[in-house]
Amino acid sequence: MVNPVKKADRTPVGAHYGWQDWLAQRVTAAIMVLFSVVFIGFFAVHGSVTYAQWKMLFGSNLFRILTLLFLLSVYYHAWIGIRDVLMDYVKPTGIRLALQVGVLLFLVACTIWSFSILWGTY
Amino acid sequence: MKFIIERFDPDKDAKPYFKEYDIQLEPTDKMLLDALIRIKSVDDSLALRRSCREGVCGSDAMNINGKNGLACVTKIADLPDVVKLRPLPGLPIIRDLIVDMTQFFKQYHSITPFVINNDPPPEKERLQSPVDRAELDGLYECILCACCSTSCPSFWWNPDKFVGPAGLLAAYRFIADTRDQATNERLDNLEDPYRLFRCHTIMNCVDVCPKGLNPSLAIGKIKEMMVKRGV
Amino acid sequence: MALNVRKFDAVVVGAGGSGLRAALQLSTAGLKTAVLTKVFPTRSHTVAAQGGVGASLGNMGEDSWHWHMYDTVKGSDWLGDQDAIEFMCRTAPEAVIELEHYGMPFDRNDNGTIYQRPFGGHSMNFGEKPVQRSCCAADRTGHAMLHTLYQRNVFANTQFFVEWMALDLIRDAEGAVVGVTALEMETGETMIFHAKATLFATGGAGRIFASSTNALINTGDGAGMAARAGIPLEDMEFWQFHPTGVAGAGVLITEGVRGEGGILLNKDGERFMERYAPTMKDLASRDVVSRAMATEIKDGRGAGPNNDYILLKLDHLGPDVINKRLPGIRESAIKFANVDPVKEPIPVVPTCHYQMGGIPTNYKGEVIVPKGGNPNSVVPGFYAAGECGCASIHGANRLGTNSLTDLLVMGKSAGDSTIAYVKAHGTHRDLPKDAGDYTLSRLNRLETQKSGESVFEVGNAMRQAMQAHCGVFRFPDMLEKGVAKIKEVAERCKHTEIKDKSKVFNTARIEALEQDNLMEVALATMISAEARKESRGAHDRADFKDREGYPNGRDDKEWLRHTLWYKEGNRLDYKPVNLKPLTVETIPPKARVY
Ligand SMILES: Cc1cc2nc3c(=O)[nH]c(=O)nc-3n(C[C@H](O)[C@H](O)[C@H](O)COP(=O)(O)OP(=O)(O)OC[C@H]3O[C@@H](n4cnc5c(N)ncnc54)[C@H](O)[C@@H]3O)c2cc1C
Ligand code: SF4
Ligand code: SF4
Ligand code: FES
């Protein structure tokens, strides 16, 4: 090991966030599992599902909200996951920021689209 | 026995290469370190760090057949006929099996590795119950060998920003000490998506620690404390 | 060729327990200090200490520093200087408490105080019965202590030069020490550290013996450098053989095992220590236990297929005690002896462990040499502490736990003396013109040596000679032959050859330079041992046995004095033992019974 006479290396740290994301990642994961169980349960109970039953299911506001919750969880979970990957592999700040903004816009678009699907008219 | 050792001397080699040694061991050569010393008696240019030869100083960590460990407590009898040795992955190589640990120690130093207590020291010892003292078991025994941090993918990608398992284990050692008064500052210091939250519980660190410590568990406890503090 | 020079107020060589304790004083006092160390500080050998640090805290029952002092004087077989011993034993509790405040993770009693365990040679009320005096952190006391001291130095912003090896001491025309030359291992560069004061804390040289509990870096560099610079080495014939090194491996099993209740058995399953030390039994002083074990083995009562080891039994303590108090021992026994002590006894033999002698100092850590009729004249600007120094606290035999105490007390004391000296002397003394030449000539010799022997061969010859001629039992004819032999090896050592000439982290070169230091220590040991015509403490000669007026072969009329070995011409000199403590009465010599 050498003395600190090498190139000065000052990496500022201490962004003071992180635990919320970490917690959110766990909470969203739990929601995703829960919804999957309910959804698979629905199919298990009803065997093959007719279009009418399907429509009835998504006709209820409760189920629409549950589904939205699920999708939002997927997006938020994905956002944290992708951001982490970008942090690991894309080192130049500019490119990383651009990619992150891209992903974020895409996920926001997905969110709006989800609304329109769930509450749109058929 | 056959040893394939990664060699590199920046004084003469353009890049690292592997060198094979077929070596006759003596019955007294019980540990991998004994074998390396035997090799060194034939080829004195093989460079490695070593000191205590009993697994307490943390000098001779290296990558043994793909897994990090200490040469001095790795039994030759437990190894296959061909042993492949490389320096610890993820850190710059200085020479042969010697790596530059600057980054590793920098992370250790970044967690303020000393007990902070601003009360005037009492005449006698600060009291601590055996139960509170037991909280430090599994934490204070770390020998800073770097086997864990250099097997952690998160540390490979961000050695400058992620504290790494060894440093985080040490961080929790001070958080867990009832004599320390800086828990809040310590949590502040780690509340960062890189410093602490780069750990994705991959558990490589637990798998390789020659002292049987569990940095991952300690990291989990820090995260838990942060959540408790935040909600 | 001139070397680059860097200037500091003080240079500390060594970052083990004593070096770190001293450095802490210097940094805290705001001195511009450089701490040189061959290995990262927490890799120093102090990390291996297991059993504990001795201090009469009295947490487990009544205790007093005066009893501790008595035990230490008796343990030293009266060769220890009683002023230094009083100083250490009196200061020990304070030093341990201070360490606790720095964050040392000591084991605890139910009431929250530091747990203390019994240890060999430590007694109550001037030798009545064993006392619990060893403050410990499981069986990793040295590890806990070294890390705590390092951490405290991080707090104090100490400047470390890690993986820098000091090569030679620089003295000016008046004999004052003005710094050292040192080699940066990573680059192969050599430099001069010019300092107002230089403090050595380089540890022991246990690697002169073939079978040793010591780390591979314990090569007596401090002693070697001092000897080459004309400073004598004191009492080098006294080497402690620890009773319980793992047979074949040399790895240490702490005396704390016996402190917790472990016992030694011969092949018949007899607890033989009852015969040799009726009161203290397995917890008698180390020299006594080692000799008893060696006698058992010599008389054919050793265990194992070749009757060549003793059994250390501790399974009767139960897994709980073993796992709580001796976890590291269990780990070592399984790894190095292939036995799980929870079920089976550990095979052990006496193994070289500790260097009682060293660079002569007083209890302030100032290096002292005979000059102009004064046997204790201070060498300006030179200090030593820890295992490389000889204050002399341990005399002819060290008590367990007293070395860690010594590191704390003497480290701090030497640090304070250094500060006082630096403050009193505003400017640096001039470097002599030829300051780096000696070092350069040594390096150059290595660089250009042709058809010499390898360091490995010379080292082996030295280790075998020491083991065969200067072991637990010493015989006059063997010692005489040993002197001739070791001188011959020393000649060979002048022509060691290395094949590797690279600049970058050249460990072959480092080992060759270490071998030079080991050689000085080996010479000093053999020659001093041959000359001391008595048995005392760890120095046991077959031609001086127990007889009327000579308890255990000790000759207080002739030999109650310290040996001083000078490298130049292998000359020997002697100086009186200081029997006068600082404040209490002299503890007069008497027969040593445990
Ligand atoms: C296995 C074992 C167990 C022990 N257990 C106990 C115990 O329970 N209780 C007890 O009281 N004692 C014990 N001892 C003894 C005690 O540990 C040692 O005597 C003590 O640690 C020595 O400390 P030190 O500071 O003098 O040197 P060390 O800790 O040996 O440190 C020496 C330092 O000097 C540096 N150095 C050396 N040469 C150079 C050079 N040329 N240039 C630069 N740096 C150099 C090294 O890098 C190192 O930092 C034990 C010893 C052993 C071997
Ligand atoms: S658990 Fe965390 S620290 Fe340990 S190896 Fe995995 S990512 Fe690294
Ligand atoms: S936690 Fe284990 S592997 Fe990591 S540095 Fe400490 S001792 Fe080594
Ligand atoms: S040499 Fe000390 S840990 Fe292996």
Side-chain angles (χ1 to χ4, degrees), chain B residues 86-109:
Chain B
R86 307 191 55 204
L88 287 177
L91 293 175
I93 301 173
I94 294 178
R95 179 176 173 181
D96 297 346
L97 298 173
I98 298 176
V99 291
D100 182 349
M101 308 263 287
T102 312
Q103 220 30 289
F104 173 80
F105 287 121
K106 205 171 157 200
Q107 290 299 356
Y108 174 71
H109 291 146

PDB file of all heavy atoms in Angstrom, chain B residues 86-109:
ATOM      1  N   ARG B  86      -4.872 -16.968  -7.636  1.00  0.00           N
ATOM      2  CA  ARG B  86      -4.880 -15.642  -8.243  1.00  0.00           C
ATOM      3  C   ARG B  86      -4.956 -14.621  -7.123  1.00  0.00           C
ATOM      4  O   ARG B  86      -5.365 -14.924  -6.005  1.00  0.00           O
ATOM      5  CB  ARG B  86      -6.117 -15.492  -9.141  1.00  0.00           C
ATOM      6  CG  ARG B  86      -6.251 -16.616 -10.159  1.00  0.00           C
ATOM      7  CD  ARG B  86      -7.312 -16.295 -11.191  1.00  0.00           C
ATOM      8  NE  ARG B  86      -7.023 -15.030 -11.798  1.00  0.00           N
ATOM      9  CZ  ARG B  86      -7.942 -14.254 -12.377  1.00  0.00           C
ATOM     10  NH1 ARG B  86      -9.202 -14.622 -12.385  1.00  0.00           N
ATOM     11  NH2 ARG B  86      -7.598 -13.110 -12.921  1.00  0.00           N
ATOM     12  N   PRO B  87      -4.547 -13.381  -7.415  1.00  0.00           N
ATOM     13  CA  PRO B  87      -4.707 -12.347  -6.385  1.00  0.00           C
ATOM     14  C   PRO B  87      -6.190 -12.081  -6.148  1.00  0.00           C
ATOM     15  O   PRO B  87      -7.023 -12.467  -6.963  1.00  0.00           O
ATOM     16  CB  PRO B  87      -4.010 -11.128  -6.980  1.00  0.00           C
ATOM     17  CG  PRO B  87      -3.940 -11.383  -8.443  1.00  0.00           C
ATOM     18  CD  PRO B  87      -3.911 -12.867  -8.629  1.00  0.00           C
ATOM     19  N   LEU B  88      -6.516 -11.424  -5.059  1.00  0.00           N
ATOM     20  CA  LEU B  88      -7.908 -11.087  -4.770  1.00  0.00           C
ATOM     21  C   LEU B  88      -8.505 -10.333  -5.952  1.00  0.00           C
ATOM     22  O   LEU B  88      -7.877  -9.413  -6.472  1.00  0.00           O
ATOM     23  CB  LEU B  88      -7.986 -10.200  -3.528  1.00  0.00           C
ATOM     24  CG  LEU B  88      -7.730 -10.875  -2.179  1.00  0.00           C
ATOM     25  CD1 LEU B  88      -7.785  -9.829  -1.066  1.00  0.00           C
ATOM     26  CD2 LEU B  88      -8.733 -11.983  -1.908  1.00  0.00           C
ATOM     27  N   PRO B  89      -9.688 -10.716  -6.385  1.00  0.00           N
ATOM     28  CA  PRO B  89     -10.275 -10.035  -7.550  1.00  0.00           C
ATOM     29  C   PRO B  89     -10.761  -8.631  -7.211  1.00  0.00           C
ATOM     30  O   PRO B  89     -11.114  -8.348  -6.077  1.00  0.00           O
ATOM     31  CB  PRO B  89     -11.450 -10.937  -7.922  1.00  0.00           C
ATOM     32  CG  PRO B  89     -11.734 -11.766  -6.730  1.00  0.00           C
ATOM     33  CD  PRO B  89     -10.508 -11.816  -5.894  1.00  0.00           C
ATOM     34  N   GLY B  90     -10.733  -7.774  -8.217  1.00  0.00           N
ATOM     35  CA  GLY B  90     -11.371  -6.464  -8.072  1.00  0.00           C
ATOM     36  C   GLY B  90     -10.478  -5.361  -7.541  1.00  0.00           C
ATOM     37  O   GLY B  90     -10.868  -4.206  -7.559  1.00  0.00           O
ATOM     38  N   LEU B  91      -9.299  -5.692  -7.054  1.00  0.00           N
ATOM     39  CA  LEU B  91      -8.383  -4.648  -6.592  1.00  0.00           C
ATOM     40  C   LEU B  91      -7.172  -4.624  -7.536  1.00  0.00           C
ATOM     41  O   LEU B  91      -6.818  -5.657  -8.107  1.00  0.00           O
ATOM     42  CB  LEU B  91      -7.923  -4.917  -5.157  1.00  0.00           C
ATOM     43  CG  LEU B  91      -8.998  -4.816  -4.068  1.00  0.00           C
ATOM     44  CD1 LEU B  91      -8.437  -5.223  -2.714  1.00  0.00           C
ATOM     45  CD2 LEU B  91      -9.571  -3.410  -3.996  1.00  0.00           C
ATOM     46  N   PRO B  92      -6.538  -3.463  -7.678  1.00  0.00           N
ATOM     47  CA  PRO B  92      -5.375  -3.389  -8.576  1.00  0.00           C
ATOM     48  C   PRO B  92      -4.243  -4.300  -8.087  1.00  0.00           C
ATOM     49  O   PRO B  92      -3.975  -4.356  -6.887  1.00  0.00           O
ATOM     50  CB  PRO B  92      -4.942  -1.917  -8.492  1.00  0.00           C
ATOM     51  CG  PRO B  92      -5.984  -1.199  -7.718  1.00  0.00           C
ATOM     52  CD  PRO B  92      -6.842  -2.189  -7.023  1.00  0.00           C
ATOM     53  N   ILE B  93      -3.598  -4.988  -9.015  1.00  0.00           N
ATOM     54  CA  ILE B  93      -2.491  -5.867  -8.629  1.00  0.00           C
ATOM     55  C   ILE B  93      -1.210  -5.042  -8.533  1.00  0.00           C
ATOM     56  O   ILE B  93      -0.900  -4.262  -9.428  1.00  0.00           O
ATOM     57  CB  ILE B  93      -2.288  -6.978  -9.686  1.00  0.00           C
ATOM     58  CG1 ILE B  93      -3.571  -7.798  -9.840  1.00  0.00           C
ATOM     59  CG2 ILE B  93      -1.122  -7.879  -9.298  1.00  0.00           C
ATOM     60  CD1 ILE B  93      -3.502  -8.808 -10.971  1.00  0.00           C
ATOM     61  N   ILE B  94      -0.490  -5.209  -7.434  1.00  0.00           N
ATOM     62  CA  ILE B  94       0.827  -4.568  -7.327  1.00  0.00           C
ATOM     63  C   ILE B  94       1.855  -5.510  -7.928  1.00  0.00           C
ATOM     64  O   ILE B  94       2.632  -5.146  -8.788  1.00  0.00           O
ATOM     65  CB  ILE B  94       1.176  -4.251  -5.862  1.00  0.00           C
ATOM     66  CG1 ILE B  94       0.238  -3.192  -5.307  1.00  0.00           C
ATOM     67  CG2 ILE B  94       2.631  -3.780  -5.773  1.00  0.00           C
ATOM     68  CD1 ILE B  94       0.465  -2.856  -3.853  1.00  0.00           C
ATOM     69  N   ARG B  95       1.825  -6.736  -7.438  1.00  0.00           N
ATOM     70  CA  ARG B  95       2.720  -7.734  -7.988  1.00  0.00           C
ATOM     71  C   ARG B  95       2.244  -9.129  -7.570  1.00  0.00           C
ATOM     72  O   ARG B  95       1.897  -9.330  -6.400  1.00  0.00           O
ATOM     73  CB  ARG B  95       4.131  -7.500  -7.453  1.00  0.00           C
ATOM     74  CG  ARG B  95       5.093  -8.529  -7.974  1.00  0.00           C
ATOM     75  CD  ARG B  95       6.506  -8.264  -7.548  1.00  0.00           C
ATOM     76  NE  ARG B  95       7.300  -9.397  -7.963  1.00  0.00           N
ATOM     77  CZ  ARG B  95       8.583  -9.523  -7.741  1.00  0.00           C
ATOM     78  NH1 ARG B  95       9.217  -8.585  -7.095  1.00  0.00           N
ATOM     79  NH2 ARG B  95       9.226 -10.591  -8.144  1.00  0.00           N
ATOM     80  N   ASP B  96       2.276 -10.069  -8.474  1.00  0.00           N
ATOM     81  CA  ASP B  96       1.899 -11.458  -8.199  1.00  0.00           C
ATOM     82  C   ASP B  96       0.613 -11.540  -7.364  1.00  0.00           C
ATOM     83  O   ASP B  96      -0.432 -11.104  -7.808  1.00  0.00           O
ATOM     84  CB  ASP B  96       3.047 -12.203  -7.517  1.00  0.00           C
ATOM     85  CG  ASP B  96       4.271 -12.287  -8.405  1.00  0.00           C
ATOM     86  OD1 ASP B  96       4.133 -12.015  -9.614  1.00  0.00           O
ATOM     87  OD2 ASP B  96       5.360 -12.598  -7.898  1.00  0.00           O
ATOM     88  N   LEU B  97       0.729 -12.069  -6.143  1.00  0.00           N
ATOM     89  CA  LEU B  97      -0.479 -12.242  -5.338  1.00  0.00           C
ATOM     90  C   LEU B  97      -0.749 -11.041  -4.431  1.00  0.00           C
ATOM     91  O   LEU B  97      -1.618 -11.085  -3.563  1.00  0.00           O
ATOM     92  CB  LEU B  97      -0.347 -13.518  -4.498  1.00  0.00           C
ATOM     93  CG  LEU B  97      -0.225 -14.804  -5.331  1.00  0.00           C
ATOM     94  CD1 LEU B  97       0.072 -16.001  -4.436  1.00  0.00           C
ATOM     95  CD2 LEU B  97      -1.504 -15.053  -6.129  1.00  0.00           C
ATOM     96  N   ILE B  98       0.012  -9.975  -4.626  1.00  0.00           N
ATOM     97  CA  ILE B  98      -0.146  -8.799  -3.764  1.00  0.00           C
ATOM     98  C   ILE B  98      -1.004  -7.747  -4.463  1.00  0.00           C
ATOM     99  O   ILE B  98      -0.680  -7.308  -5.566  1.00  0.00           O
ATOM    100  CB  ILE B  98       1.233  -8.205  -3.411  1.00  0.00           C
ATOM    101  CG1 ILE B  98       2.037  -9.246  -2.632  1.00  0.00           C
ATOM    102  CG2 ILE B  98       1.091  -6.917  -2.621  1.00  0.00           C
ATOM    103  CD1 ILE B  98       3.444  -8.815  -2.304  1.00  0.00           C
ATOM    104  N   VAL B  99      -2.085  -7.370  -3.799  1.00  0.00           N
ATOM    105  CA  VAL B  99      -2.962  -6.351  -4.393  1.00  0.00           C
ATOM    106  C   VAL B  99      -2.870  -5.051  -3.599  1.00  0.00           C
ATOM    107  O   VAL B  99      -2.436  -5.029  -2.453  1.00  0.00           O
ATOM    108  CB  VAL B  99      -4.442  -6.809  -4.406  1.00  0.00           C
ATOM    109  CG1 VAL B  99      -4.643  -7.949  -5.390  1.00  0.00           C
ATOM    110  CG2 VAL B  99      -4.912  -7.189  -3.016  1.00  0.00           C
ATOM    111  N   ASP B 100      -3.298  -3.983  -4.243  1.00  0.00           N
ATOM    112  CA  ASP B 100      -3.318  -2.671  -3.606  1.00  0.00           C
ATOM    113  C   ASP B 100      -4.617  -2.545  -2.813  1.00  0.00           C
ATOM    114  O   ASP B 100      -5.702  -2.492  -3.376  1.00  0.00           O
ATOM    115  CB  ASP B 100      -3.235  -1.604  -4.703  1.00  0.00           C
ATOM    116  CG  ASP B 100      -3.190  -0.205  -4.133  1.00  0.00           C
ATOM    117  OD1 ASP B 100      -3.436  -0.049  -2.918  1.00  0.00           O
ATOM    118  OD2 ASP B 100      -2.916   0.738  -4.899  1.00  0.00           O
ATOM    119  N   MET B 101      -4.490  -2.480  -1.493  1.00  0.00           N
ATOM    120  CA  MET B 101      -5.675  -2.489  -0.631  1.00  0.00           C
ATOM    121  C   MET B 101      -6.154  -1.073  -0.277  1.00  0.00           C
ATOM    122  O   MET B 101      -7.020  -0.922   0.592  1.00  0.00           O
ATOM    123  CB  MET B 101      -5.358  -3.227   0.679  1.00  0.00           C
ATOM    124  CG  MET B 101      -4.747  -4.601   0.503  1.00  0.00           C
ATOM    125  SD  MET B 101      -5.958  -5.912   0.608  1.00  0.00           S
ATOM    126  CE  MET B 101      -6.312  -5.946   2.331  1.00  0.00           C
ATOM    127  N   THR B 102      -5.578  -0.058  -0.909  1.00  0.00           N
ATOM    128  CA  THR B 102      -5.910   1.323  -0.538  1.00  0.00           C
ATOM    129  C   THR B 102      -7.420   1.567  -0.473  1.00  0.00           C
ATOM    130  O   THR B 102      -7.941   2.076   0.510  1.00  0.00           O
ATOM    131  CB  THR B 102      -5.285   2.305  -1.558  1.00  0.00           C
ATOM    132  OG1 THR B 102      -3.922   1.934  -1.742  1.00  0.00           O
ATOM    133  CG2 THR B 102      -5.371   3.725  -1.063  1.00  0.00           C
ATOM    134  N   GLN B 103      -8.091   1.172  -1.544  1.00  0.00           N
ATOM    135  CA  GLN B 103      -9.535   1.379  -1.642  1.00  0.00           C
ATOM    136  C   GLN B 103     -10.287   0.710  -0.488  1.00  0.00           C
ATOM    137  O   GLN B 103     -11.186   1.275   0.117  1.00  0.00           O
ATOM    138  CB  GLN B 103      -9.961   0.737  -2.965  1.00  0.00           C
ATOM    139  CG  GLN B 103     -10.950   1.353  -3.850  1.00  0.00           C
ATOM    140  CD  GLN B 103     -11.078   2.830  -3.877  1.00  0.00           C
ATOM    141  OE1 GLN B 103     -11.552   3.430  -2.933  1.00  0.00           O
ATOM    142  NE2 GLN B 103     -10.710   3.427  -4.991  1.00  0.00           N
ATOM    143  N   PHE B 104      -9.861  -0.512  -0.194  1.00  0.00           N
ATOM    144  CA  PHE B 104     -10.508  -1.288   0.861  1.00  0.00           C
ATOM    145  C   PHE B 104     -10.385  -0.580   2.210  1.00  0.00           C
ATOM    146  O   PHE B 104     -11.352  -0.424   2.949  1.00  0.00           O
ATOM    147  CB  PHE B 104      -9.863  -2.684   0.908  1.00  0.00           C
ATOM    148  CG  PHE B 104     -10.317  -3.548   2.052  1.00  0.00           C
ATOM    149  CD1 PHE B 104     -11.525  -4.216   1.992  1.00  0.00           C
ATOM    150  CD2 PHE B 104      -9.529  -3.696   3.184  1.00  0.00           C
ATOM    151  CE1 PHE B 104     -11.954  -5.016   3.045  1.00  0.00           C
ATOM    152  CE2 PHE B 104      -9.944  -4.494   4.244  1.00  0.00           C
ATOM    153  CZ  PHE B 104     -11.154  -5.154   4.169  1.00  0.00           C
ATOM    154  N   PHE B 105      -9.167  -0.133   2.528  1.00  0.00           N
ATOM    155  CA  PHE B 105      -8.970   0.532   3.824  1.00  0.00           C
ATOM    156  C   PHE B 105      -9.633   1.903   3.850  1.00  0.00           C
ATOM    157  O   PHE B 105     -10.080   2.369   4.888  1.00  0.00           O
ATOM    158  CB  PHE B 105      -7.482   0.655   4.145  1.00  0.00           C
ATOM    159  CG  PHE B 105      -6.870  -0.662   4.527  1.00  0.00           C
ATOM    160  CD1 PHE B 105      -5.821  -1.201   3.822  1.00  0.00           C
ATOM    161  CD2 PHE B 105      -7.385  -1.384   5.605  1.00  0.00           C
ATOM    162  CE1 PHE B 105      -5.270  -2.427   4.167  1.00  0.00           C
ATOM    163  CE2 PHE B 105      -6.845  -2.607   5.958  1.00  0.00           C
ATOM    164  CZ  PHE B 105      -5.789  -3.133   5.240  1.00  0.00           C
ATOM    165  N   LYS B 106      -9.686   2.534   2.676  1.00  0.00           N
ATOM    166  CA  LYS B 106     -10.337   3.832   2.613  1.00  0.00           C
ATOM    167  C   LYS B 106     -11.806   3.690   3.031  1.00  0.00           C
ATOM    168  O   LYS B 106     -12.338   4.503   3.778  1.00  0.00           O
ATOM    169  CB  LYS B 106     -10.236   4.365   1.190  1.00  0.00           C
ATOM    170  CG  LYS B 106     -10.315   5.844   1.139  1.00  0.00           C
ATOM    171  CD  LYS B 106      -9.989   6.366  -0.237  1.00  0.00           C
ATOM    172  CE  LYS B 106     -10.631   7.724  -0.341  1.00  0.00           C
ATOM    173  NZ  LYS B 106     -10.817   8.177  -1.701  1.00  0.00           N
ATOM    174  N   GLN B 107     -12.422   2.649   2.559  1.00  0.00           N
ATOM    175  CA  GLN B 107     -13.812   2.425   2.942  1.00  0.00           C
ATOM    176  C   GLN B 107     -13.927   2.127   4.438  1.00  0.00           C
ATOM    177  O   GLN B 107     -14.830   2.611   5.105  1.00  0.00           O
ATOM    178  CB  GLN B 107     -14.419   1.277   2.126  1.00  0.00           C
ATOM    179  CG  GLN B 107     -14.629   1.609   0.652  1.00  0.00           C
ATOM    180  CD  GLN B 107     -15.580   2.772   0.433  1.00  0.00           C
ATOM    181  OE1 GLN B 107     -16.167   3.320   1.368  1.00  0.00           O
ATOM    182  NE2 GLN B 107     -15.728   3.187  -0.807  1.00  0.00           N
ATOM    183  N   TYR B 108     -12.991   1.328   4.950  1.00  0.00           N
ATOM    184  CA  TYR B 108     -13.000   1.050   6.389  1.00  0.00           C
ATOM    185  C   TYR B 108     -12.875   2.359   7.161  1.00  0.00           C
ATOM    186  O   TYR B 108     -13.608   2.611   8.119  1.00  0.00           O
ATOM    187  CB  TYR B 108     -11.855   0.085   6.725  1.00  0.00           C
ATOM    188  CG  TYR B 108     -11.672  -0.170   8.209  1.00  0.00           C
ATOM    189  CD1 TYR B 108     -12.610  -0.932   8.922  1.00  0.00           C
ATOM    190  CD2 TYR B 108     -10.574   0.334   8.893  1.00  0.00           C
ATOM    191  CE1 TYR B 108     -12.436  -1.169  10.275  1.00  0.00           C
ATOM    192  CE2 TYR B 108     -10.394   0.092  10.240  1.00  0.00           C
ATOM    193  CZ  TYR B 108     -11.328  -0.656  10.931  1.00  0.00           C
ATOM    194  OH  TYR B 108     -11.150  -0.881  12.276  1.00  0.00           O
ATOM    195  N   HIS B 109     -11.934   3.214   6.740  1.00  0.00           N
ATOM    196  CA  HIS B 109     -11.727   4.477   7.455  1.00  0.00           C
ATOM    197  C   HIS B 109     -12.933   5.403   7.347  1.00  0.00           C
ATOM    198  O   HIS B 109     -13.133   6.264   8.191  1.00  0.00           O
ATOM    199  CB  HIS B 109     -10.485   5.189   6.906  1.00  0.00           C
ATOM    200  CG  HIS B 109      -9.217   4.483   7.237  1.00  0.00           C
ATOM    201  ND1 HIS B 109      -8.130   4.452   6.399  1.00  0.00           N
ATOM    202  CD2 HIS B 109      -8.854   3.733   8.301  1.00  0.00           C
ATOM    203  CE1 HIS B 109      -7.159   3.740   6.950  1.00  0.00           C
ATOM    204  NE2 HIS B 109      -7.582   3.279   8.097  1.00  0.00           N
TER     205      HIS B 109
END
